[in-house]
Amino acid sequence: MKVGVIGLGYVGLPLAVAFAEEGHEVVGLDVDARRLEALGQGRSYVEDIPDETLAPLTGRLHPTSSYADLASCHAVIVCVPTPLTNSREPDLTYLVDSATALSQVLQPEQLVVLESTTYPGTTRERLRPILEESGMAAGRDFHLAYSPERIDPGRTDYTVRTTPKLIGGLTERCAERARELYAEICDEVVVLSSPETAELAKLLENIFRSVNIALVNELAQLCDRLGIDVWEVVDAASTKPFGFMRFDPGPGMGGHCLPVDPFYLAFKAREHDFYPEFIELAGKINQSQPHFCVERIDRALNDVAKPVKGSRILILGVGYKAGVGDTRESPAIKIIRGLQELGGEVSYHDPHVPSLPAVGLESADLGAVLGDADAVAIVTAHPGIDYERVVAEAPLVIDFRGVTRGISAANLVRL
Ligand SMILES: NC(=O)c1ccc[n+]([C@@H]2O[C@H](COP(=O)([O-])OP(=O)(O)OC[C@H]3O[C@@H](n4cnc5c(N)ncnc54)[C@H](O)[C@@H]3O)[C@@H](O)[C@H]2O)c1
């Protein structure tokens, strides 16, 4: 089989690799020349795909910027970004651009699958008409389906193969074609009744996380008032073997998915005069969490008779989650900006993020700055950092991730 993948990012590249590893020819299309150049040289820019994984695939994985190369593919999978506009509404520009270019090379009998996360109705109402500008009809001349990506960057216990794949086809035949495609790389394929069901199922998964993270983040703020250790509370509740699912508090939600996707559904709901309050409330609490962290750092410094202004504050970890260098929507950026606005001299250390142009900083050498800092705030708990040493050497440590549980020290403050 020959498979085309449009958008070789965190979602598209692992997918392209999965098909190539199964022996299929893969045309990987992107508009980012640097990414194409890296792939051409066998260099990966996605943490989950080491260079060694790419090396044996060079003959089968063909990076390109030319949509014409997709004409010979049996199936084309679209994995372009679906961010929000500045006014927090769905920004489908990337999808519209890629679909428009694809419509010009679309072939009879081809299968097109959208994997980008989006609101219910996008595949049918937005993608279909653009592809039909080719003069062909979806469900008759070509096939169209939606299949959400469920990848969790940095995760190793579940892979593309072992995570069940949801599919919603425009017609039964479309769904069957998509099922055959994904059966090549996934152990379990679940066929749903429509693209809309699959689109909404993905949003439910992410909203479920967003709401539960908001719940523990709010609890963390309350525990701070009550003087109760939120981590001990969460640990205790987690001993219940049924009816409770653990979520950890933290500095706020980041990444391309959780802070963004729920608003796709809120947008769609508003079109139908419906206001989903859980989504908005969870978003509000999670977005306020970095501000709470700034205030907590301020208070911790105050307790040792230091103002934020002029204090040297080291942020440990700026990726949006442990083990990844993705800083999109990372709460660390909001925390750094908040501290800078108060006059703090902020630096950061992150082994995965050499520079952070959003705040004009470069990653500092941990050993060199640790003893020099007035305070260290653990914002992202990357593996491989010696947190005992951090607590031993820094005069004040504020831990927003609970990684210092088990350490007791007078200079240690936990969320
Ligand atoms: N990152 C995740 O963990 C994750 C998980 C599940 C779903 N998703 C969803 O998958 C989609 C892609 O996310 P991502 O994290 O892979 O994004 P990404 O930014 O890492 O990758 C997207 C790629 O698409 C390319 N691109 C943009 N416009 C293009 C065009 N017109 N033609 C060809 N290529 C184009 C970009 O250059 C980029 O390389 C989003 O809808 C996201 O919500 C992401």
Side-chain angles (χ1 to χ4, degrees):
M1 207 165 29
K2 195 166 180 183
V3 182
V5 177
I6 302 180
L8 299 171
Y10 282 89
V11 166
L13 186 59
L15 199 64
V17 164
F19 279 106
E21 282 181 332
E22 283 307 309
H24 301 292
E25 290 287 310
V26 179
V27 175
L29 188 142
D30 208 291
V31 289
D32 185 332
R34 279 169 311 170
R35 290 195 155 179
L36 293 175
E37 191 188 334
L39 290 178
Q41 295 166 352
R43 275 189 295 115
S44 171
Y45 42 83
V46 170
E47 287 91 350
D48 291 344
I49 306 290
D51 292 354
E52 306 82 72
T53 304
L54 290 180
L57 305 177
T58 41
R60 286 200 295 281
L61 177 52
H62 311 286
T64 181
S65 60
S66 166
Y67 274 80
D69 293 345
L70 297 172
S72 55
C73 292
H74 298 95
V76 178
I77 306 174
V78 182
C79 310
V80 294
T82 44
L84 295 174
T85 62
N86 287 340
S87 49
R88 300 197 87 69
E89 294 200 337
D91 177 1
L92 294 182
T93 323
Y94 301 96
L95 178 60
V96 169
D97 286 354
S98 57
T100 304
L102 179 60
S103 73
Q104 285 154 22
V105 297
L106 196 67
Q107 300 298 312
E109 283 307 307
Q110 263 184 338
L111 165 68
V112 178
V113 185
L114 176 61
E115 286 221 9
S116 304
T117 308
T118 185
Y119 58 77
T122 308
T123 307
R124 194 184 300 270
E125 295 159 13
R126 299 298 305 269
L127 183 55
R128 175 185 182 164
I130 298 173
L131 294 177
E132 289 187 338
E133 283 168 18
S134 62
M136 291 185 285
R140 189 189 70 198
D141 306 317
F142 70 95
H143 307 283
L144 182 59
Y146 179 79
S147 178
E149 177 52 62
R150 294 166 136 179
I151 204 161
D152 182 11
R155 184 162 213 130
T156 50
D157 51 352
Y158 286 98
T159 60
V160 171
R161 174 155 289 287
T162 59
T163 307
K165 196 86 176 100
L166 299 181
I167 280 169
L170 206 63
T171 64
E172 275 182 28
R173 180 83 189 108
C174 292
E176 178 52 23
R177 283 288 307 271
R179 194 196 59 74
E180 286 166 8
L181 172 72
Y182 286 107
E184 294 291 319
I185 56 162
C186 300
D187 290 341
E188 188 183 346
V189 179
V190 181
V191 177
L192 304 171
S193 61
S194 68
E196 289 77 13
T197 317
E199 288 162 335
L200 187 51
K202 168 71 187 178
L203 291 180
L204 170 62
E205 292 166 15
N206 283 355
I207 291 164
F208 173 81
R209 284 188 60 72
S210 170
V211 167
N212 281 286
I213 291 169
L215 179 65
V216 283
N217 279 341
E218 189 180 60
L219 191 76
Q221 295 194 20
L222 174 62
C223 281
D224 182 61
R225 294 266 176 101
L226 298 176
I228 295 173
D229 181 345
V230 68
W231 301 98
E232 197 182 348
V233 174
V234 173
D235 284 347
S238 303
T239 60
K240 188 176 181 187
F242 51 88
F244 182 80
M245 184 181 279
R246 183 186 182 110
F247 284 84
D248 287 330
M253 253 174 12
H256 183 27
C257 295
L258 296 191
V260 172
D261 300 346
F263 293 101
Y264 268 71
L265 187 57
F267 164 83
K268 187 68 182 176
R270 280 199 301 277
E271 276 189 359
H272 292 261
D273 259 350
F274 188 96
Y275 295 85
E277 298 190 24
F278 269 105
I279 295 175
E280 301 284 356
L281 181 61
K284 189 174 146 200
I285 292 173
N286 287 326
Q287 278 167 25
S288 77
Q289 194 71 357
H291 302 288
F292 171 73
C293 293
V294 170
E295 189 252 321
R296 192 68 197 85
I297 294 168
D298 183 6
R299 251 190 299 139
L301 278 166
N302 185 60
D303 286 345
V304 292
K306 288 183 182 174
V308 171
K309 195 177 176 88
S311 285
R312 290 178 298 269
I313 305 163
L314 173 72
I315 303 297
L316 198 44
V318 295
Y320 84 90
K321 65 185 267 192
V324 303
D326 190 349
T327 59
R328 286 179 288 185
E329 307 277 334
S330 174
I333 294 173
K334 279 191 188 169
I335 295 173
I336 292 174
R337 285 202 179 117
L339 293 169
Q340 286 176 332
E341 277 165 21
L342 292 175
E345 287 179 25
V346 187
S347 59
Y348 84 89
H349 171 78
D350 191 312
H352 301 273
V353 186
S355 67
L356 201 51
V359 287
L361 294 173
E362 295 199 344
S363 179
D365 179 70
L366 185 59
V369 289
L370 207 48
D372 235 17
D374 294 297
V376 175
I378 302 170
V379 173
T380 307
H382 287 309
I385 304 269
D386 183 348
Y387 293 104
E388 278 189 20
R389 180 183 156 210
V390 172
V391 176
E393 291 187 19
L396 174 63
V397 177
I398 304 115
D399 173 11
F400 294 117
R401 289 290 186 180
V403 277
T404 59
R405 276 175 292 164
I407 306 175
S408 131
N411 63 333
L412 178 59
V413 176
R414 260 190 304 275
L415 181 67

